[in-house]
Amino acid sequence: MIAPEYSLRDGNTIPALGLGTYGLDDQAGIDAITAGIADGYRLIDTAYNYGNEEAVGEAIRRTDVDRSDLVITTKLPGRHHGFDETIASFEESRSRLDLDWVDLYLIHWPLPRIDKFVESWRAMISLREKGLVRAIGVSNFTQAQLTRLIDETGVVPVVNQVELHPYFPQDELRAFHDEHDIRTESWSPLARRTELLAEPTVTEIAETHGVSPAQTVLRWHVELEAVPIPKSSDAARRRENLDVFGFALTSEEVDAISALSRGRIWGADPETHEEF
Ligand SMILES: NC(=O)c1ccc[n+]([C@@H]2O[C@H](COP(=O)([O-])OP(=O)(O)OC[C@H]3O[C@@H](n4cnc5c(N)ncnc54)[C@H](OP(=O)(O)O)[C@@H]3O)[C@@H](O)[C@H]2O)c1
């Protein structure tokens, strides 16, 4: 199964679903990511701070899938905000990934108290101009922070990767993304499993379609046109998670799942969260 793609505002494309890699480390991580690519995942999500860029690089070397068919994402950590620091941090990531170019580079968290994300954004614009990065975006940015980037540099992020799942559907932020042609990516799309997959709303809709609760939730993301990046260390669950393009939810089913809304699962508010 290969996911369909969306066009990004800069002309690049992004698969409609990707593989999260937080916690996929070492040999087991290399094997899981390699198997994920063999099963059809083309969008791979890592970060400097996951400590597994080398494992991702090794999986890319092992695969026989054409490099230009993969969309490799990594992220700038908080401790490297600033123009020169961003360039140096990117080179460290690129070297660990062992890549000529990175497909999608994101600012991991805005860290408004440090107030250097605009400088980092300027560095990312220059990395893109040099061809070292194909597309640039952000993660965990609020509407106000996105507006500041756009107003001060004129360059709109192609993606904002944010916490998004049925417990936290982010209606307002998604509407803002739509207005500015920013693609939403959903992190913790299964709400880290929690009790979400046992919610009667989810299990009943799953039964109607003859699919699993995880597939129901991931299809809900697809119906919202957000790009989920579920992580699984298990081969069967990774295949299950990718297999969500053969059925559709009705708008009533989408609304019923969105009505599970209650807030963030671990409380990391981008206005205050600091992760270095
Ligand atoms: N930008 C950011 O700040 C940020 C923050 C958090 C995460 N992320 C990214 O988003 C990715 C995904 O988020 P996440 O790992 O926090 O949470 P998630 O993908 O919502 O959930 C992962 C959990 O769900 C389980 N799971 C996966 N597929 C399943 C299935 N089909 N049925 C039942 N359980 C299933 C996994 O267990 P098994 O592994 O045992 O299958 C794991 O415990 C991360 O890996 C990372 O790449 C980004």
PDB file of all heavy atoms in Angstrom, residues 232-263:
ATOM      1  N   SER A 232       4.645   2.765  15.062  1.00  0.00           N
ATOM      2  CA  SER A 232       4.471   1.445  15.665  1.00  0.00           C
ATOM      3  C   SER A 232       5.756   0.655  15.524  1.00  0.00           C
ATOM      4  O   SER A 232       6.401   0.678  14.486  1.00  0.00           O
ATOM      5  CB  SER A 232       3.311   0.677  15.029  1.00  0.00           C
ATOM      6  OG  SER A 232       3.243  -0.601  15.662  1.00  0.00           O
ATOM      7  N   SER A 233       6.088  -0.051  16.597  1.00  0.00           N
ATOM      8  CA  SER A 233       7.276  -0.912  16.561  1.00  0.00           C
ATOM      9  C   SER A 233       6.900  -2.308  16.053  1.00  0.00           C
ATOM     10  O   SER A 233       7.752  -3.174  15.973  1.00  0.00           O
ATOM     11  CB  SER A 233       7.881  -1.004  17.965  1.00  0.00           C
ATOM     12  OG  SER A 233       6.865  -1.349  18.877  1.00  0.00           O
ATOM     13  N   ASP A 234       5.618  -2.496  15.737  1.00  0.00           N
ATOM     14  CA  ASP A 234       5.133  -3.820  15.331  1.00  0.00           C
ATOM     15  C   ASP A 234       4.770  -3.836  13.845  1.00  0.00           C
ATOM     16  O   ASP A 234       4.014  -2.978  13.370  1.00  0.00           O
ATOM     17  CB  ASP A 234       3.898  -4.150  16.181  1.00  0.00           C
ATOM     18  CG  ASP A 234       3.274  -5.462  15.776  1.00  0.00           C
ATOM     19  OD1 ASP A 234       3.822  -6.500  16.182  1.00  0.00           O
ATOM     20  OD2 ASP A 234       2.272  -5.454  15.041  1.00  0.00           O
ATOM     21  N   ALA A 235       5.300  -4.835  13.119  1.00  0.00           N
ATOM     22  CA  ALA A 235       5.132  -4.859  11.660  1.00  0.00           C
ATOM     23  C   ALA A 235       3.659  -4.928  11.244  1.00  0.00           C
ATOM     24  O   ALA A 235       3.220  -4.218  10.335  1.00  0.00           O
ATOM     25  CB  ALA A 235       5.899  -6.041  11.072  1.00  0.00           C
ATOM     26  N   ALA A 236       2.886  -5.769  11.921  1.00  0.00           N
ATOM     27  CA  ALA A 236       1.471  -5.930  11.541  1.00  0.00           C
ATOM     28  C   ALA A 236       0.720  -4.623  11.796  1.00  0.00           C
ATOM     29  O   ALA A 236      -0.101  -4.195  10.971  1.00  0.00           O
ATOM     30  CB  ALA A 236       0.849  -7.073  12.324  1.00  0.00           C
ATOM     31  N   ARG A 237       1.004  -3.956  12.923  1.00  0.00           N
ATOM     32  CA  ARG A 237       0.310  -2.690  13.204  1.00  0.00           C
ATOM     33  C   ARG A 237       0.744  -1.596  12.227  1.00  0.00           C
ATOM     34  O   ARG A 237      -0.053  -0.764  11.815  1.00  0.00           O
ATOM     35  CB  ARG A 237       0.543  -2.258  14.660  1.00  0.00           C
ATOM     36  CG  ARG A 237      -0.236  -3.114  15.651  1.00  0.00           C
ATOM     37  CD  ARG A 237      -0.299  -2.471  17.033  1.00  0.00           C
ATOM     38  NE  ARG A 237       0.952  -2.549  17.764  1.00  0.00           N
ATOM     39  CZ  ARG A 237       1.364  -3.622  18.455  1.00  0.00           C
ATOM     40  NH1 ARG A 237       0.625  -4.712  18.485  1.00  0.00           N
ATOM     41  NH2 ARG A 237       2.511  -3.604  19.097  1.00  0.00           N
ATOM     42  N   ARG A 238       2.021  -1.607  11.815  1.00  0.00           N
ATOM     43  CA  ARG A 238       2.446  -0.599  10.818  1.00  0.00           C
ATOM     44  C   ARG A 238       1.685  -0.801   9.510  1.00  0.00           C
ATOM     45  O   ARG A 238       1.243   0.154   8.888  1.00  0.00           O
ATOM     46  CB  ARG A 238       3.960  -0.688  10.560  1.00  0.00           C
ATOM     47  CG  ARG A 238       4.804   0.016  11.601  1.00  0.00           C
ATOM     48  CD  ARG A 238       6.242   0.172  11.115  1.00  0.00           C
ATOM     49  NE  ARG A 238       6.852  -1.080  10.740  1.00  0.00           N
ATOM     50  CZ  ARG A 238       7.475  -1.914  11.586  1.00  0.00           C
ATOM     51  NH1 ARG A 238       7.584  -1.605  12.859  1.00  0.00           N
ATOM     52  NH2 ARG A 238       7.997  -3.029  11.153  1.00  0.00           N
ATOM     53  N   ARG A 239       1.526  -2.051   9.100  1.00  0.00           N
ATOM     54  CA  ARG A 239       0.800  -2.315   7.837  1.00  0.00           C
ATOM     55  C   ARG A 239      -0.663  -1.913   7.984  1.00  0.00           C
ATOM     56  O   ARG A 239      -1.250  -1.312   7.086  1.00  0.00           O
ATOM     57  CB  ARG A 239       0.924  -3.794   7.460  1.00  0.00           C
ATOM     58  CG  ARG A 239       2.294  -4.130   6.855  1.00  0.00           C
ATOM     59  CD  ARG A 239       2.293  -5.460   6.142  1.00  0.00           C
ATOM     60  NE  ARG A 239       2.283  -6.571   7.077  1.00  0.00           N
ATOM     61  CZ  ARG A 239       3.391  -7.126   7.594  1.00  0.00           C
ATOM     62  NH1 ARG A 239       4.588  -6.694   7.230  1.00  0.00           N
ATOM     63  NH2 ARG A 239       3.310  -8.119   8.448  1.00  0.00           N
ATOM     64  N   GLU A 240      -1.231  -2.255   9.132  1.00  0.00           N
ATOM     65  CA  GLU A 240      -2.637  -1.888   9.415  1.00  0.00           C
ATOM     66  C   GLU A 240      -2.800  -0.359   9.323  1.00  0.00           C
ATOM     67  O   GLU A 240      -3.736   0.147   8.692  1.00  0.00           O
ATOM     68  CB  GLU A 240      -2.955  -2.396  10.829  1.00  0.00           C
ATOM     69  CG  GLU A 240      -4.287  -1.976  11.413  1.00  0.00           C
ATOM     70  CD  GLU A 240      -4.376  -2.384  12.906  1.00  0.00           C
ATOM     71  OE1 GLU A 240      -3.814  -3.431  13.318  1.00  0.00           O
ATOM     72  OE2 GLU A 240      -5.023  -1.639  13.658  1.00  0.00           O
ATOM     73  N   ASN A 241      -1.862   0.367   9.904  1.00  0.00           N
ATOM     74  CA  ASN A 241      -1.979   1.828   9.958  1.00  0.00           C
ATOM     75  C   ASN A 241      -1.907   2.468   8.568  1.00  0.00           C
ATOM     76  O   ASN A 241      -2.505   3.522   8.334  1.00  0.00           O
ATOM     77  CB  ASN A 241      -0.883   2.405  10.860  1.00  0.00           C
ATOM     78  CG  ASN A 241      -1.062   2.028  12.323  1.00  0.00           C
ATOM     79  OD1 ASN A 241      -2.125   1.550  12.722  1.00  0.00           O
ATOM     80  ND2 ASN A 241      -0.023   2.234  13.125  1.00  0.00           N
ATOM     81  N   LEU A 242      -1.185   1.816   7.670  1.00  0.00           N
ATOM     82  CA  LEU A 242      -1.044   2.387   6.322  1.00  0.00           C
ATOM     83  C   LEU A 242      -2.251   2.042   5.436  1.00  0.00           C
ATOM     84  O   LEU A 242      -2.523   2.722   4.441  1.00  0.00           O
ATOM     85  CB  LEU A 242       0.257   1.843   5.698  1.00  0.00           C
ATOM     86  CG  LEU A 242       0.735   2.378   4.354  1.00  0.00           C
ATOM     87  CD1 LEU A 242       0.886   3.899   4.375  1.00  0.00           C
ATOM     88  CD2 LEU A 242       2.073   1.736   3.980  1.00  0.00           C
ATOM     89  N   ASP A 243      -2.977   1.019   5.848  1.00  0.00           N
ATOM     90  CA  ASP A 243      -4.057   0.490   5.013  1.00  0.00           C
ATOM     91  C   ASP A 243      -5.380   1.207   5.318  1.00  0.00           C
ATOM     92  O   ASP A 243      -6.330   0.605   5.831  1.00  0.00           O
ATOM     93  CB  ASP A 243      -4.165  -1.024   5.272  1.00  0.00           C
ATOM     94  CG  ASP A 243      -5.149  -1.696   4.321  1.00  0.00           C
ATOM     95  OD1 ASP A 243      -5.575  -1.064   3.343  1.00  0.00           O
ATOM     96  OD2 ASP A 243      -5.500  -2.866   4.592  1.00  0.00           O
ATOM     97  N   VAL A 244      -5.440   2.489   5.025  1.00  0.00           N
ATOM     98  CA  VAL A 244      -6.652   3.271   5.347  1.00  0.00           C
ATOM     99  C   VAL A 244      -7.182   4.012   4.119  1.00  0.00           C
ATOM    100  O   VAL A 244      -7.941   4.975   4.247  1.00  0.00           O
ATOM    101  CB  VAL A 244      -6.394   4.277   6.502  1.00  0.00           C
ATOM    102  CG1 VAL A 244      -6.008   3.517   7.776  1.00  0.00           C
ATOM    103  CG2 VAL A 244      -5.328   5.296   6.150  1.00  0.00           C
ATOM    104  N   PHE A 245      -6.768   3.562   2.930  1.00  0.00           N
ATOM    105  CA  PHE A 245      -7.184   4.295   1.722  1.00  0.00           C
ATOM    106  C   PHE A 245      -8.213   3.517   0.901  1.00  0.00           C
ATOM    107  O   PHE A 245      -8.566   3.926  -0.196  1.00  0.00           O
ATOM    108  CB  PHE A 245      -5.946   4.682   0.897  1.00  0.00           C
ATOM    109  CG  PHE A 245      -5.044   5.603   1.687  1.00  0.00           C
ATOM    110  CD1 PHE A 245      -3.927   5.106   2.349  1.00  0.00           C
ATOM    111  CD2 PHE A 245      -5.359   6.949   1.821  1.00  0.00           C
ATOM    112  CE1 PHE A 245      -3.124   5.944   3.128  1.00  0.00           C
ATOM    113  CE2 PHE A 245      -4.563   7.789   2.591  1.00  0.00           C
ATOM    114  CZ  PHE A 245      -3.445   7.283   3.245  1.00  0.00           C
ATOM    115  N   GLY A 246      -8.748   2.418   1.507  1.00  0.00           N
ATOM    116  CA  GLY A 246      -9.743   1.620   0.786  1.00  0.00           C
ATOM    117  C   GLY A 246     -11.153   1.785   1.333  1.00  0.00           C
ATOM    118  O   GLY A 246     -12.058   1.052   0.942  1.00  0.00           O
ATOM    119  N   PHE A 247     -11.355   2.711   2.246  1.00  0.00           N
ATOM    120  CA  PHE A 247     -12.705   2.972   2.761  1.00  0.00           C
ATOM    121  C   PHE A 247     -12.785   4.460   3.123  1.00  0.00           C
ATOM    122  O   PHE A 247     -11.763   5.149   3.150  1.00  0.00           O
ATOM    123  CB  PHE A 247     -13.014   2.090   3.989  1.00  0.00           C
ATOM    124  CG  PHE A 247     -12.254   2.454   5.239  1.00  0.00           C
ATOM    125  CD1 PHE A 247     -12.878   3.126   6.286  1.00  0.00           C
ATOM    126  CD2 PHE A 247     -10.908   2.142   5.380  1.00  0.00           C
ATOM    127  CE1 PHE A 247     -12.177   3.476   7.443  1.00  0.00           C
ATOM    128  CE2 PHE A 247     -10.202   2.482   6.530  1.00  0.00           C
ATOM    129  CZ  PHE A 247     -10.842   3.148   7.555  1.00  0.00           C
ATOM    130  N   ALA A 248     -14.013   4.937   3.366  1.00  0.00           N
ATOM    131  CA  ALA A 248     -14.179   6.361   3.708  1.00  0.00           C
ATOM    132  C   ALA A 248     -15.189   6.483   4.836  1.00  0.00           C
ATOM    133  O   ALA A 248     -16.052   5.621   5.010  1.00  0.00           O
ATOM    134  CB  ALA A 248     -14.654   7.129   2.480  1.00  0.00           C
ATOM    135  N   LEU A 249     -15.066   7.538   5.630  1.00  0.00           N
ATOM    136  CA  LEU A 249     -16.037   7.811   6.688  1.00  0.00           C
ATOM    137  C   LEU A 249     -17.060   8.819   6.172  1.00  0.00           C
ATOM    138  O   LEU A 249     -16.725   9.687   5.354  1.00  0.00           O
ATOM    139  CB  LEU A 249     -15.323   8.404   7.915  1.00  0.00           C
ATOM    140  CG  LEU A 249     -14.221   7.552   8.557  1.00  0.00           C
ATOM    141  CD1 LEU A 249     -13.614   8.292   9.755  1.00  0.00           C
ATOM    142  CD2 LEU A 249     -14.760   6.197   8.999  1.00  0.00           C
ATOM    143  N   THR A 250     -18.287   8.721   6.657  1.00  0.00           N
ATOM    144  CA  THR A 250     -19.297   9.725   6.298  1.00  0.00           C
ATOM    145  C   THR A 250     -19.006  10.994   7.109  1.00  0.00           C
ATOM    146  O   THR A 250     -18.292  10.948   8.118  1.00  0.00           O
ATOM    147  CB  THR A 250     -20.711   9.239   6.665  1.00  0.00           C
ATOM    148  OG1 THR A 250     -20.777   9.092   8.098  1.00  0.00           O
ATOM    149  CG2 THR A 250     -21.033   7.902   5.991  1.00  0.00           C
ATOM    150  N   SER A 251     -19.607  12.109   6.700  1.00  0.00           N
ATOM    151  CA  SER A 251     -19.352  13.342   7.456  1.00  0.00           C
ATOM    152  C   SER A 251     -19.934  13.212   8.868  1.00  0.00           C
ATOM    153  O   SER A 251     -19.392  13.778   9.820  1.00  0.00           O
ATOM    154  CB  SER A 251     -19.885  14.566   6.717  1.00  0.00           C
ATOM    155  OG  SER A 251     -21.233  14.393   6.452  1.00  0.00           O
ATOM    156  N   GLU A 252     -21.017  12.437   9.026  1.00  0.00           N
ATOM    157  CA  GLU A 252     -21.579  12.233  10.380  1.00  0.00           C
ATOM    158  C   GLU A 252     -20.582  11.457  11.251  1.00  0.00           C
ATOM    159  O   GLU A 252     -20.418  11.749  12.433  1.00  0.00           O
ATOM    160  CB  GLU A 252     -22.901  11.442  10.323  1.00  0.00           C
ATOM    161  CG  GLU A 252     -24.075  12.197   9.714  1.00  0.00           C
ATOM    162  CD  GLU A 252     -24.028  12.275   8.187  1.00  0.00           C
ATOM    163  OE1 GLU A 252     -23.273  11.482   7.555  1.00  0.00           O
ATOM    164  OE2 GLU A 252     -24.717  13.137   7.612  1.00  0.00           O
ATOM    165  N   GLU A 253     -19.921  10.465  10.650  1.00  0.00           N
ATOM    166  CA  GLU A 253     -18.939   9.687  11.419  1.00  0.00           C
ATOM    167  C   GLU A 253     -17.743  10.568  11.799  1.00  0.00           C
ATOM    168  O   GLU A 253     -17.239  10.504  12.929  1.00  0.00           O
ATOM    169  CB  GLU A 253     -18.478   8.471  10.604  1.00  0.00           C
ATOM    170  CG  GLU A 253     -19.569   7.411  10.472  1.00  0.00           C
ATOM    171  CD  GLU A 253     -19.242   6.289   9.471  1.00  0.00           C
ATOM    172  OE1 GLU A 253     -18.477   6.532   8.506  1.00  0.00           O
ATOM    173  OE2 GLU A 253     -19.764   5.186   9.635  1.00  0.00           O
ATOM    174  N   VAL A 254     -17.313  11.399  10.867  1.00  0.00           N
ATOM    175  CA  VAL A 254     -16.199  12.315  11.163  1.00  0.00           C
ATOM    176  C   VAL A 254     -16.590  13.228  12.325  1.00  0.00           C
ATOM    177  O   VAL A 254     -15.829  13.397  13.290  1.00  0.00           O
ATOM    178  CB  VAL A 254     -15.825  13.155   9.910  1.00  0.00           C
ATOM    179  CG1 VAL A 254     -14.841  14.264  10.262  1.00  0.00           C
ATOM    180  CG2 VAL A 254     -15.243  12.246   8.824  1.00  0.00           C
ATOM    181  N   ASP A 255     -17.809  13.774  12.270  1.00  0.00           N
ATOM    182  CA  ASP A 255     -18.257  14.682  13.341  1.00  0.00           C
ATOM    183  C   ASP A 255     -18.362  13.961  14.679  1.00  0.00           C
ATOM    184  O   ASP A 255     -18.011  14.518  15.724  1.00  0.00           O
ATOM    185  CB  ASP A 255     -19.619  15.294  12.982  1.00  0.00           C
ATOM    186  CG  ASP A 255     -19.499  16.251  11.795  1.00  0.00           C
ATOM    187  OD1 ASP A 255     -18.356  16.619  11.442  1.00  0.00           O
ATOM    188  OD2 ASP A 255     -20.549  16.622  11.220  1.00  0.00           O
ATOM    189  N   ALA A 256     -18.841  12.710  14.642  1.00  0.00           N
ATOM    190  CA  ALA A 256     -18.985  11.957  15.902  1.00  0.00           C
ATOM    191  C   ALA A 256     -17.604  11.739  16.528  1.00  0.00           C
ATOM    192  O   ALA A 256     -17.431  11.870  17.748  1.00  0.00           O
ATOM    193  CB  ALA A 256     -19.668  10.619  15.631  1.00  0.00           C
ATOM    194  N   ILE A 257     -16.603  11.451  15.716  1.00  0.00           N
ATOM    195  CA  ILE A 257     -15.245  11.230  16.259  1.00  0.00           C
ATOM    196  C   ILE A 257     -14.672  12.560  16.764  1.00  0.00           C
ATOM    197  O   ILE A 257     -14.076  12.623  17.841  1.00  0.00           O
ATOM    198  CB  ILE A 257     -14.336  10.555  15.195  1.00  0.00           C
ATOM    199  CG1 ILE A 257     -14.873   9.151  14.876  1.00  0.00           C
ATOM    200  CG2 ILE A 257     -12.887  10.474  15.676  1.00  0.00           C
ATOM    201  CD1 ILE A 257     -14.207   8.450  13.704  1.00  0.00           C
ATOM    202  N   SER A 258     -14.910  13.642  16.019  1.00  0.00           N
ATOM    203  CA  SER A 258     -14.408  14.957  16.458  1.00  0.00           C
ATOM    204  C   SER A 258     -15.052  15.381  17.781  1.00  0.00           C
ATOM    205  O   SER A 258     -14.461  16.157  18.547  1.00  0.00           O
ATOM    206  CB  SER A 258     -14.710  16.032  15.411  1.00  0.00           C
ATOM    207  OG  SER A 258     -14.129  15.707  14.172  1.00  0.00           O
ATOM    208  N   ALA A 259     -16.258  14.861  18.060  1.00  0.00           N
ATOM    209  CA  ALA A 259     -16.958  15.244  19.296  1.00  0.00           C
ATOM    210  C   ALA A 259     -16.298  14.635  20.540  1.00  0.00           C
ATOM    211  O   ALA A 259     -16.665  14.963  21.666  1.00  0.00           O
ATOM    212  CB  ALA A 259     -18.429  14.821  19.208  1.00  0.00           C
ATOM    213  N   LEU A 260     -15.298  13.767  20.354  1.00  0.00           N
ATOM    214  CA  LEU A 260     -14.546  13.238  21.502  1.00  0.00           C
ATOM    215  C   LEU A 260     -13.593  14.295  22.073  1.00  0.00           C
ATOM    216  O   LEU A 260     -12.937  14.075  23.096  1.00  0.00           O
ATOM    217  CB  LEU A 260     -13.743  11.993  21.083  1.00  0.00           C
ATOM    218  CG  LEU A 260     -14.560  10.754  20.675  1.00  0.00           C
ATOM    219  CD1 LEU A 260     -13.660   9.694  20.036  1.00  0.00           C
ATOM    220  CD2 LEU A 260     -15.280  10.181  21.896  1.00  0.00           C
ATOM    221  N   SER A 261     -13.516  15.436  21.419  1.00  0.00           N
ATOM    222  CA  SER A 261     -12.615  16.529  21.798  1.00  0.00           C
ATOM    223  C   SER A 261     -12.647  16.840  23.295  1.00  0.00           C
ATOM    224  O   SER A 261     -13.708  16.995  23.880  1.00  0.00           O
ATOM    225  CB  SER A 261     -13.044  17.779  21.013  1.00  0.00           C
ATOM    226  OG  SER A 261     -12.303  18.876  21.452  1.00  0.00           O
ATOM    227  N   ARG A 262     -11.465  16.920  23.898  1.00  0.00           N
ATOM    228  CA  ARG A 262     -11.384  17.314  25.315  1.00  0.00           C
ATOM    229  C   ARG A 262     -10.071  18.011  25.663  1.00  0.00           C
ATOM    230  O   ARG A 262      -9.919  18.549  26.745  1.00  0.00           O
ATOM    231  CB  ARG A 262     -11.579  16.101  26.209  1.00  0.00           C
ATOM    232  CG  ARG A 262     -10.482  15.047  26.044  1.00  0.00           C
ATOM    233  CD  ARG A 262     -10.704  13.830  26.910  1.00  0.00           C
ATOM    234  NE  ARG A 262      -9.465  13.101  27.060  1.00  0.00           N
ATOM    235  CZ  ARG A 262      -9.402  11.808  27.363  1.00  0.00           C
ATOM    236  NH1 ARG A 262     -10.507  11.128  27.576  1.00  0.00           N
ATOM    237  NH2 ARG A 262      -8.242  11.220  27.492  1.00  0.00           N
ATOM    238  N   GLY A 263      -9.088  18.003  24.758  1.00  0.00           N
ATOM    239  CA  GLY A 263      -7.860  18.769  25.044  1.00  0.00           C
ATOM    240  C   GLY A 263      -6.600  17.980  24.790  1.00  0.00           C
ATOM    241  O   GLY A 263      -6.642  16.816  24.415  1.00  0.00           O
TER     242      GLY A 263
END
